[in-house]
C-alpha cells in the first residue's frame, strides 16, 4: 500500500469516526478507536458509552446494502463481539437478522464504509 493510499484510508476512517460519534451522540461520549476493513466487511471500534465507567470494544462482521429511492440501509451482522458481557448477550440475538434504517445521513455513513 502506497503512502497516498494509507493517508486516504486514515482520512476516511477519521471522517467515519466523526460521523459515527455525531450520529450516535445520545449514546456515545467519545469514539476512542475505529478501524474498518472494507474487503472483509469488518469493523473494530472502542467507545465510551454514556453511563459506563470503562470503554467498550465492539468487533463486527457485517453486510450492508443501500436502497436509494427511499434512502434505506439494510444491515445484517454476521458476527459480533462486545467486551461488556450483558451487551454482548443481547447483541447475539441480532445476528443474521435484517435491519432497516432510513435517512440520508445513515446512507452517507454507510457509503463512507464502502
Amino acid at each position: 500500500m502506497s503512502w497516498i493510499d494509507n493517508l486516504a484510508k486514515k482520512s476516511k476512517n477519521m471522517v467515519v469516526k466523526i460521523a459515527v460519534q455525531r450520529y450516535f451522540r445520545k449514546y456515545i461520549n467519545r469514539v476512542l478507536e475505529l478501524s474498518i476493513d472494507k474487503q472483509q466487511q469488518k469493523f473494530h471500534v472502542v467507545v465510551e458509552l454514556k453511563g459506563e465507567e470503562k470503554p467498550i470494544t465492539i468487533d463486527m462482521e457485517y453486510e450492508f446494502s443501500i436502497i436509494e429511492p427511499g434512502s434505506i440501509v439494510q444491515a445484517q451482522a454476521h458476527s459480533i463481539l462486545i467486551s461488556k458481557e450483558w451487551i454482548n448477550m443481547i447483541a447475539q440475538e441480532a445476528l443474521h437478522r435484517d435491519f432497516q434504517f432510513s435517512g440520508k445521513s445513515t446512507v452517507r455513513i454507510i457509503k463512507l464504509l464502502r
Side-chain angles (χ1 to χ4, degrees):
M1 180 183 299
S2 74
W3 69 271
I4 294 174
D5 293 334
N6 195 24
L7 180 62
K9 182 179 178 184
K10 285 182 180 181
S11 298
K12 190 173 190 177
N13 282 355
M14 182 61 77
V15 170
V16 171
K17 181 178 175 179
I18 291 167
V20 166
Q21 195 163 304
R22 286 186 179 171
Y23 189 79
F24 292 105
R25 68 181 162 261
K26 67 180 176 182
Y27 310 108
I28 296 173
N29 284 330
R30 198 164 48 132
V31 177
L32 302 173
E33 292 177 30
L34 176 75
S35 62
I36 303 162
D37 182 341
K38 297 184 304 183
Q39 303 295 328
Q40 300 290 323
Q41 291 188 309
K42 295 179 182 182
F43 78 83
H44 167 83
V45 65
V46 179
V47 294
E48 289 179 348
L49 293 179
K50 292 185 178 180
E52 290 294 328
E53 293 178 16
K54 296 180 181 178
I56 293 176
T57 302
I58 303 168
D59 290 295
M60 184 166 75
E61 291 182 33
Y62 60 87
E63 184 177 339
F64 291 120
S65 58
I66 299 172
I67 305 165
E68 280 293 346
S71 294
I72 296 171
V73 172
Q74 186 164 328
Q76 188 178 92
H78 297 294
S79 72
I80 189 164
L81 180 62
I82 302 174
S83 61
K84 188 82 167 179
E85 185 177 357
W86 72 268
I87 299 174
N88 188 59
M89 291 171 60
I90 293 170
Q92 300 310 307
E93 300 286 324
L95 289 179
H96 307 294
R97 293 186 183 178
D98 289 326
F99 292 91
Q100 290 189 346
F101 306 92
S102 61
K104 290 182 181 181
S105 59
T106 304
V107 170
R108 284 187 206 118
I109 291 172
I110 299 309
K111 284 183 177 181
L112 286 171
L113 288 171
R114 290 185 161 177

